[in-house]
Amino acid sequence: MYSSVTHQRKVNQLPCHKPIPSSQVVPSLDFDPSAEDTRKERTGAKSSKDSLSSIERRRRFLGRLSLAMLLVGAGVATWQMGQPLDEEELRARKWTAEDAPKSRWERTKLRFSGIFDTFTEPLWPELLPPPIQGHLYRPYTLLLSVDDLLVTSTWDVRHPCMEQYCLHTN
């Protein structure tokens, strides 16, 4: 038989649990990146972020050296452009010594803009050859290519107006 005293002893032997708040039982699902940063510890190892390999140091040095040489070359060229105009340059521009620019800055601007004269000025005084005289004279004809501009060589659809225009012009 099962007595009530035995049952009472077993109930008394069970540990009494206090209710636990829910925040301690279930972990939080909130992500807090600042909490992870505080847990990082330094190991004492050197970072490879700030150190460069010998190839990278050499490449950086050669790049800086090339830039310095480029700047020095540009400075020397600018200085040379400011030199006084010689007799040959004066004759090419049809100037006298009094007409030539007096300041170094003006001579530098003049010579620097002269670099681009090859692209902006015509190569010959006459752009077209002189017309043929006599019975072979023909007026000049200007040819323009309008392919893919106004007219296309292939049509996907029939264009009756275009066909009518072509028949009319032929």
Side-chain angles (χ1 to χ4, degrees):
M1 274 201 144
Y2 193 58
S3 75
S4 68
V5 175
T6 311
H7 179 54
Q8 189 66 24
R9 262 190 242 159
K10 287 183 180 180
V11 171
N12 288 341
Q13 290 176 356
L14 289 175
C16 181
H17 294 291
K18 294 180 183 176
I20 300 174
S22 65
S23 64
Q24 293 177 355
V25 175
V26 179
S28 174
L29 297 177
D30 293 337
F31 177 71
D32 187 14
S34 63
E36 287 185 17
D37 292 340
T38 58
R39 285 186 276 167
K40 289 184 181 177
E41 296 179 12
R42 298 190 62 77
T43 60
K46 285 188 175 182
S47 170
S48 64
K49 256 193 315 189
D50 300 329
S51 64
L52 299 174
S53 68
S54 61
I55 294 173
E56 291 171 337
R57 282 193 301 264
R58 184 175 181 195
R59 185 179 299 146
R60 181 182 283 179
F61 171 73
L62 290 176
R64 289 178 179 168
L65 182 66
S66 299
L67 179 63
M69 290 173 58
L70 178 73
L71 291 176
V72 167
V76 168
T78 304
W79 181 261
Q80 289 292 336
M81 284 183 185
Q83 296 295 324
L85 298 174
D86 57 359
E87 293 298 322
E88 187 177 314
E89 286 178 303
L90 289 173
R91 268 184 272 136
R93 296 185 186 275
K94 299 178 183 169
W95 286 349
T96 62
E98 292 80 29
D99 296 336
K102 302 293 183 212
S103 71
R104 181 174 212 84
W105 176 248
E106 291 296 321
R107 291 188 302 260
T108 302
K109 284 190 338 186
L110 178 71
R111 286 186 174 134
F112 188 76
S113 65
I115 294 171
F116 301 103
D117 284 347
T118 306
F119 305 111
T120 58
E121 298 295 322
L123 296 177
W124 300 281
E126 294 179 2
L127 296 178
L128 296 174
I132 299 174
Q133 301 298 324
H135 71 285
L136 297 176
Y137 173 76
R138 300 246 188 262
Y140 288 120
T141 304
L142 179 64
L143 297 176
L144 298 175
S145 174
V146 292
D147 192 29
D148 292 331
L149 180 66
L150 299 174
V151 177
T152 183
S153 57
T154 59
W155 296 99
D156 296 335
V157 197
R158 295 185 64 82
H159 294 278
C161 295
M162 187 60 153
E163 290 176 6
Q164 196 174 33
Y165 173 75
C166 289
L167 288 174
H168 177 69
T169 56
N170 288 336

